[in-house]
């Protein structure tokens, strides 16, 4: 008889924690050395060479070494040369440490090898995904007609949303774009903020609209889409407004576009409103931050990524739609999967929710996590990260060696090493060098980005910034103080010519 599978990774705390409201959350990691930093020490070339050397010659071996030896090899490789996102100094990307319970549940999903396309490919997992979708749609404020689907990432969720919007706009013009293509649809366009995720442009390219169909709208001083500029773009003749994409949690700033007035404009011009809340949707777990997304229920569709705020193994994205009939764009009758008489007998699956056929049961880890911690537990995790971001921003403001570059909305802090007396180009170069030195030291993992220009006035030019994305609910203010101390020390080393590689 087969045995239940349970994977136990190295946890961030030495003793398993079962209380969902405990002081430290049980986070998984493959790195056993708790004294090591978030990255292995060394240049990228050196680290990759060490990893390649451990694997040996790149060929499929004629005979294997056995299960235990193979697992030991790969586990050792991840331990010594991999990333440790549970380390409190890992703060570069929207890539959090993952909850141990989600890792364990993900092993169950893998062991089932279920697929979501048909009932007979996994009935339990089919029910689990439908439960997860319904729960998240309710959290978003959608009604009983809402539906959704889990996808392999926010980029794919955005692609599906733009596809549905494209087909809807074409149908309104009497065009069956699915069968006949875009011919006859007058210059279709998709509006989004200049700070929207690049997947919007990719979606337009993949769907035959072309990247130039993505019309970017300027953002205001708070990095939110300017609705006056959007209104002017909507009013221009000779175009078909397919969709407007509002961002709820921009990647670099965490800023949230004004959804309600954007929704009003979308309705006025008959455009689909998609809210890319890949980052920001998790605010709905928090009583404190949920008001930031109070208007998300006005959307026709929403992207959310639980491998960001949700602490799930990647990738765990969901596309929600307010009206399940909009999934008609994916309808497909296949004799060996979903013949009509089988559907009439209740044997339908979720083939008509996705471009995929075989689709992994990623909802298993989500359902387990939601059941384990509830909204209150996940909200406490986010509140901790939000408080850390404000503490980090306050430290930056108080330190003359650092400059805060944007207000905190969610968990992102944009700042830079001050570099007094340097011109703009030298100051930009300083940020890049500081980050590279920290990364190759292995001690600190932070991100970088570029602030958009804000007019021609001095101090408003585009500028390279350093970025903290704080998603570790076990990190403390002391951890962040230490991280910033190392940023300052490294900046001084760069400025004085010390410690150059």
């Amino acid at each position: 008889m087969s045995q239940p599978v349970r994977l136990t990774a190295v946890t961030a705390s030495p003793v398993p924690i079962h209380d969902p409201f405990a002081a430290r959350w049980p986070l998984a990691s493959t790195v056993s050395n708790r004294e090591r930093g978030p990255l292995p020490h060394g240049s990228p070339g050196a680290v990759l060479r060490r990893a390649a050397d451990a694997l040996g010659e790149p060929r499929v071996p004629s005979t294997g070494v056995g299960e235990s030896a193979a697992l030991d090899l790969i586990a050792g490789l991840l331990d010594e040369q991999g990333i440790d996102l549970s380390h409190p100094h890992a703060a570069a990307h929207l890539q959090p440490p993952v909850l141990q319970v989600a890792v364990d549940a993900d092993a169950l999903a893998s062991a089932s090898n279920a697929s979501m396309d048909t009932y007979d490919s996994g009935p339990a997992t089919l029910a689990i995904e439908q439960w997860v979708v319904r729960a998240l749609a309710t959290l978003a404020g959608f009604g009983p007609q809402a539906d959704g689907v889990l996808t392999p990432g926010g980029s794919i969720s955005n692609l599906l949303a733009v596809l549905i919007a494209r087909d809807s706009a074409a149908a309104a013009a009497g065009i069956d774009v699915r069968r006949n293509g875009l011919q006859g649809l007058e210059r279709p366009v998709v509006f989004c903020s200049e700070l929207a995720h690049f997947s919007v442009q990719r979606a337009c390219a993949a769907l035959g609209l072309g990247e130039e169909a993505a019309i970017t709208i300027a953002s205001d001083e708070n990095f939110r889409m300017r609705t006056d500029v959007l209104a002017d773009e909507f009013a221009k003749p000779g175009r078909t407004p397919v969709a407007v994409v509002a961002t709820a949690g921009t990647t670099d700033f965490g800023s949230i576009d004004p959804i309600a007035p954007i929704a009003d404009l979308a309705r006025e011009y008959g455009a689909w409103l998609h809210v890319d809340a890949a980052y920001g949707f998790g605010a709905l777990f928090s009583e404190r931050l949920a008001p930031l997304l109070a208007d998300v229920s006005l959307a026709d569709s929403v992207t959310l990524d639980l491998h960001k705020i949700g602490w799930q193994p990647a990738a765990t994205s969901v596309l929600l739609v307010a009206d399940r009939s909009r999934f008609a764009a994916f309808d497909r009758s296949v004799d060996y999967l979903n013949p009509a008489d089988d559907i009439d007998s209740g044997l339908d699956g979720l083939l008509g929710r996705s471009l995929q056929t075989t689709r992994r049961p990623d909802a298993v880890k989500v359902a387990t996590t939601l059941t384990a911690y509830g909204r209150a537990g996940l909200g406490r995790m986010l509140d901790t990260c939000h408080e850390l971001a404000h503490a980090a921003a306050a430290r930056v403001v108080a330190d003359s060696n650092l400059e805060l570059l944007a207000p905190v909305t969610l968990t992102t802090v944009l700042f830079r090493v001050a570099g007094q007396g340097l011109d703009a180009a030298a100051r930009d170069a300083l940020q890049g060098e500081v980050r590279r030195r920290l990364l190759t030291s292995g001690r600190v993992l932070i991100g970088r980005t570029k602030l958009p220009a804000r007019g021609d006035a001095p101090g408003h030019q585009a500028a390279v910034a350093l970025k903290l994305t704080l998603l570790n609910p076990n990190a403390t203010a002391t951890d962040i103080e230490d991280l910033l101390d190392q940023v300052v020390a490294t900046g001084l080393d760069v400025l004085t010519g010390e410690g150059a590689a």
Side-chain angles (χ1 to χ4, degrees):
M1 181 177 178
S2 61
Q3 296 298 311
V5 175
R6 180 175 175 83
L7 176 65
T8 302
V10 178
T11 59
S13 51
V15 179
I17 298 174
H18 301 292
D19 177 7
F21 301 103
R24 286 179 65 81
W25 304 93
L27 304 177
S29 176
T30 58
V31 176
S32 59
N33 180 2
R34 309 316 298 163
E35 302 302 317
R36 204 199 81 173
L39 286 178
H41 177 272
S43 69
V47 172
L48 293 173
R49 279 193 300 274
R50 293 198 299 263
D53 290 345
L55 288 167
E57 185 179 351
R59 61 179 177 82
V60 178
S62 56
T63 58
V65 298
E67 296 96 333
S68 295
L71 282 169
D72 287 345
L73 171 65
I74 300 302
L77 187 55
L78 294 176
D79 186 4
E80 295 171 10
Q81 310 302 335
I83 190 170
D84 183 7
L85 293 171
S86 71
H87 195 286
H89 292 170
H93 305 294
L94 287 166
Q95 183 186 14
V98 293
L99 288 160
Q100 181 67 56
V101 71
V103 173
D104 292 341
D106 212 23
L108 295 175
S110 292
S112 79
N113 202 30
S115 180
M116 307 310 300
D117 49 327
T118 63
Y119 170 86
D120 59 346
S121 292
T125 50
L126 193 67
I128 289 170
E129 176 158 328
Q130 291 170 326
W131 182 90
V132 165
V133 164
R134 184 70 254 150
L136 294 172
T138 300
L139 187 62
F142 283 165
Q145 294 304 310
D147 207 342
V149 63
L150 274 81
T151 79
S155 294
I156 300 301
S157 293
N158 286 343
L159 171 68
L160 299 184
V162 177
L163 187 157
I164 294 171
R166 181 201 66 179
D167 286 14
S168 178
I175 297 169
D176 186 346
V177 70
R178 177 170 158 180
R179 294 185 179 276
N180 303 317
L182 292 167
Q183 186 175 1
L185 190 62
E186 184 180 22
R187 201 190 164 195
V189 293
V190 174
F191 302 116
C192 63
S193 161
E194 63 178 336
L195 304 175
H197 194 265
F198 61 85
S199 60
V200 177
Q201 281 83 359
R202 281 187 166 179
C204 288
L207 295 170
L209 305 176
E211 287 203 11
E212 290 188 359
I215 307 297
T216 56
I217 307 300
S219 57
D220 63 18
E221 66 277 6
N222 292 315
F223 308 101
R224 293 155 42 101
M225 186 191 294
R226 287 180 53 185
T227 54
D228 59 326
V229 178
L230 177 63
D232 290 343
E233 290 292 341
F234 262 124
K236 291 181 179 179
R239 305 192 294 197
T240 302
V242 169
V244 55
V245 179
T247 305
T250 55
T251 302
D252 286 333
F253 304 94
S255 51
I256 297 171
D257 289 336
I259 296 173
I262 292 172
D264 290 341
L265 286 168
R267 301 292 182 264
E268 179 181 350
Y269 287 94
W272 185 273
L273 172 59
H274 176 62
V275 174
D276 180 2
Y279 179 12
F281 187 90
L284 293 173
F285 294 130
S286 163
E287 293 288 350
R288 179 194 307 167
L289 297 176
L292 293 173
L293 267 75
D295 297 324
V296 74
S297 61
L298 299 174
D300 295 301
S301 57
V302 177
T303 287
L304 62 113
D305 283 1
L306 294 173
H307 57 267
K308 294 182 172 71
I309 296 176
W311 298 276
Q312 298 295 290
T316 315
S317 185
V318 184
L319 173 68
L320 299 175
V321 295
D323 180 356
R324 67 170 57 91
S325 69
R326 299 297 192 164
F327 275 120
F330 304 114
D331 282 347
R332 178 68 60 181
S333 179
V334 182
D335 289 341
Y336 67 88
L337 290 176
N338 60 348
D341 55 338
D342 273 2
I343 292 175
D344 292 341
S345 300
L347 293 173
D348 198 9
L350 298 178
L351 180 67
R353 297 289 184 275
S354 173
L355 293 175
Q356 297 170 265
T357 303
T358 301
R359 187 160 61 81
R360 194 173 184 277
D362 287 312
V364 170
K365 59 195 173 190
V366 180
T368 306
T369 301
L370 295 178
T371 303
Y373 296 108
R375 184 185 174 204
L378 294 170
R380 278 195 60 193
M381 294 182 211
L382 177 57
D383 287 345
T384 297
C385 298
H386 183 244
E387 290 160 8
L388 284 175
H390 278 284
R395 158 63 199 277
V396 168
V397 169
D399 193 327
S400 62
N401 296 294
L402 302 172
E403 293 180 56
L404 187 68
L405 299 176
V408 171
T409 301
L410 293 171
T411 68
T412 303
V413 183
L414 256 65
F415 70 104
R416 66 183 175 189
V417 177
Q420 288 92 345
L422 298 179
D423 62 24
R427 189 179 294 114
D428 284 352
L430 170 64
Q431 315 310 317
E433 180 62 20
V434 167
R435 179 176 181 267
R436 285 188 292 272
R437 289 196 188 188
L438 290 168
L439 264 59
T440 55
S441 76
R443 302 189 313 270
V444 170
L445 174 56
I446 61 174
R448 65 176 282 181
T449 189
K450 195 165 190 176
L451 264 70
R454 287 287 181 269
D456 299 324
H460 289 74
Q461 307 97 323
V464 174
L466 299 175
K467 180 170 69 167
L468 303 181
T469 308
L470 298 170
L471 290 175
N472 186 336
N474 285 342
T476 66
T478 300
D479 293 323
I480 304 307
E481 285 276 355
D482 182 56
L483 184 159
L484 290 170
D485 284 346
Q486 294 191 57
V487 172
V488 169
T490 304
L492 293 173
D493 283 347
V494 174
L495 289 169
T496 59
E498 297 292 328

